[in-house]
Amino acid sequence: MKRSDSSEREKKRKRQKLLQELGGQRIPFLSPADSGFQQLWESSYPGLVLRRADGLPPDLHGRVQAALCSLRGRGCLLRDLVRVRGRDVFTSVSRALLGLPGYTYRYLNTRLFTIPWHSEEVEERKEGEQEDKSQGEALEEVENKDKACCDQELRAACKALWELNHFFCKDVYRIEEASDHEQGPKEAEAGGGSPQAQCSKGSPVTAQFNVTLLNYMDPTTMDQLKEEPYYGMGKMAVGWHHDENLVSFSSVAVYNYSCQDDKVEGGSSEDAGRAPWRLGLKVAWDINTPGLAVPLQTGDCYYLRDDLNRTHQHCVLAGEAARFSSTHRVAECSSGTLEYIRRRCEEALENMSTNPDTGARNLHSLSPSALQLSEEIHNEVEFEWLRQYWFQGRRYSRFCSWWNKPMEELEESWREMESMTQLTLAVAEDDSCEEQRRKEVAEALLPALTERQQHRLTWKERCESRLAQTLPPEEAPINRPYWCDGDPSMPLPFDLTDIISRVESLLWK
């Protein structure tokens, strides 16, 4: 979901209005030791479900905690350079995205690409798809399958997180079923159940978590943690927010692991007297309802169910130990999967054919709608996929090769679309064409070219920014695709200023 400047301004306006209404006063908040805590939870936060650590299988805790430490030790969790209100900032939290192969998750104008979790379900699906392929394709699939995208240690870590995800899918379903017969908050009990979840409001499947966003936070290295502004809850590691880019009414499941920085497996360092991490909850933009602050011990999990993520906001209040969280989501991926963008590329390229004898290319249709569609997809591939991927440097290919070939294929499709733009421009500037046709083509082309030029300059500036230059080479943003003027392999220049002027002049005649 793209955060527009207008929506950011609206949120800033709401924050200022809320603080103005408070006039320096604090809204009350309740913790478990406070009278009325359970009643407040039941009346104002019924979508929150807490599962204590002893409700999960002990061996699952061990595998998940070892996996989190292993992923961090391998350098998979990194701070993101994100775009907020028109400027780049580093996240204070180090993150990595695991999930279904080919899925992405978008937040703060940044698209993260999954490290695929290695699960029996994914392998079975591959084997099932194998039966539908030709003998040659099947042989190629088998050969490719033998080439693991990551090493055994990383595969084991990813699989442990998939096992946790599988547990959450079943557990949330069981809780959703129970909520149809029972009201009020409670600490969930261990149990099984089918992973096919139905929301209590009757909405479609809500607990088929397709990605998990892993977070690592060490308060001793997080500079200038902000004070929570409305309730006086303490220092915030993550400020008040709604989780973005989720299927409506879908649940979010979170695993909490607080640890000593040098520990590899389990252990609850906060039991030795260190302040625990806490989950803060509030009704969005409301000054009348008290907030909720829930302490989290190592291995505790919580679920945000139904529309809680839409109607409420949550924050993460810093404890004293380092902390991992694994936040499992049903990401809204209608336009965020490799399968989707491949279909879009095919749709655009259908409008161009190549003569097998001469290699000459031509466009099938010059209708404004066909030209606008292909140029729109051209921009989508370049700015939502290629530049998003390469802006994050070589972080993915360092430890997982899964995205290498797909990104090569997308870049090749994008090059073909550059040729389509060249063909479209040639029609607009062809003096032998009917003048009305030339103007129609120019009108269809100009908005996409203007947007492309603006975005290319923005991404170039971001790659060369002061913050970007502080990153090590393997994490530093790469301005790709990029080429110099006169590159014989490219049909059009990188800088479109001159071409835009030529197209504009066609419309002024």
Side-chain angles (χ1 to χ4, degrees), residues 61-81:
H61 280 301
R63 289 195 297 276
V64 168
Q65 293 170 14
L68 292 170
C69 292
S70 177
L71 288 166
R72 178 174 176 259
R74 295 290 299 274
C76 299
L77 279 75
L78 298 167
R79 296 169 67 196
D80 294 317
L81 187 55

Side-chain angles (χ1 to χ4, degrees), residues 161-458:
L161 271 301
W162 171 81
E163 290 172 352
L164 177 63
N165 191 75
H166 191 63
F167 174 89
F168 281 155
C169 287
K170 293 192 297 181
D171 198 37
V172 170
Y173 171 68
R174 185 189 64 81
I175 293 169
E176 296 286 4
E177 279 198 324
S179 70
D180 290 338
H181 307 96
E182 211 175 314
Q183 296 298 321
K186 63 178 181 177
E187 293 185 4
E189 300 173 357
S194 164
Q196 296 297 321
Q198 285 286 332
C199 170
S200 59
K201 289 183 170 58
S203 64
V205 173
T206 61
Q208 289 299 293
F209 303 118
N210 47 29
V211 299
T212 179
L213 187 62
L214 305 181
N215 304 293
Y216 176 76
M217 296 164 269
D218 183 352
T220 63
T221 63
M222 298 170 75
D223 297 333
Q224 299 177 334
L225 290 177
K226 293 183 179 179
E227 289 287 342
E228 191 287 310
Y230 309 121
Y231 303 86
M233 289 180 174
K235 300 284 188 181
M236 298 188 301
V238 180
W240 292 108
H241 68 286
H242 305 276
D243 285 337
E244 297 183 51
N245 199 29
L246 305 182
V247 170
S248 297
F249 293 101
S250 64
S251 297
V252 176
V254 181
Y255 181 90
N256 176 73
Y257 172 36
S258 302
C259 59
Q260 295 284 8
D261 192 55
D262 59 351
K263 283 193 176 183
V264 176
E265 294 199 23
S268 51
S269 58
E270 64 272 75
D271 291 341
R274 307 184 78 176
W277 289 75
R278 293 173 295 155
L279 169 69
L281 280 163
K282 73 181 184 73
V283 179
W285 313 117
D286 177 277
I287 64 171
N288 299 311
T289 307
L292 208 65
V294 183
L296 300 170
Q297 306 299 325
T298 283
D300 285 351
C301 307
Y302 61 87
Y303 306 139
L304 307 180
R305 295 177 46 243
D306 294 340
D307 63 348
L308 187 74
N309 183 61
R310 181 180 63 85
T311 58
H312 294 61
Q313 292 174 304
H314 57 280
C315 71
V316 180
L317 300 160
E320 293 181 341
R323 180 209 186 220
F324 289 98
S325 65
S326 182
T327 62
H328 299 245
R329 305 146 187 259
V330 188
E332 202 295 299
C333 282
S334 59
S335 61
T337 66
L338 179 60
E339 180 184 0
Y340 158 81
I341 197 61
R342 278 174 168 168
R343 286 199 308 268
R344 291 280 280 172
C345 289
E346 290 170 1
E347 188 178 7
L349 295 175
E350 282 176 355
N351 197 37
M352 183 175 70
S353 62
T354 304
N355 187 308
D357 298 323
T358 64
R361 293 170 168 172
N362 68 283
L363 299 175
H364 294 302
S365 172
L366 293 174
S367 71
S369 60
L371 297 177
Q372 288 167 358
L373 176 64
S374 61
E375 294 301 324
E376 173 190 308
I377 295 172
H378 186 161
N379 283 354
E380 183 178 12
V381 174
E382 180 171 343
F383 302 112
E384 282 298 319
W385 291 82
L386 295 176
R387 295 196 183 279
Q388 286 277 3
Y389 180 83
W390 288 109
F391 185 74
Q392 296 168 63
R394 304 184 188 280
R395 60 163 65 181
Y396 295 101
S397 58
R398 279 192 302 148
F399 42 75
C400 180
S401 62
W402 196 93
W403 284 97
N404 291 5
K405 186 171 178 58
M407 297 313 294
E408 290 174 4
E409 293 171 349
L410 288 180
E411 188 162 330
E412 183 56 36
S413 295
W414 167 84
R415 285 175 180 270
E416 293 291 295
M417 292 179 212
E418 284 282 300
S419 295
M420 293 180 72
T421 302
Q422 181 191 42
L423 292 172
T424 306
L425 179 64
V427 172
E429 295 185 317
D430 186 352
D431 291 334
S432 66
C433 270
E434 179 187 351
E435 184 175 348
Q436 184 60 30
R437 168 58 63 83
R438 292 175 64 192
K439 284 191 173 182
E440 288 178 356
V441 171
E443 287 175 350
L445 190 57
L446 184 59
L449 289 178
T450 303
E451 179 183 349
R452 196 170 303 158
Q453 174 72 358
Q454 291 172 343
H455 284 328
R456 282 182 181 174
L457 292 178
T458 298

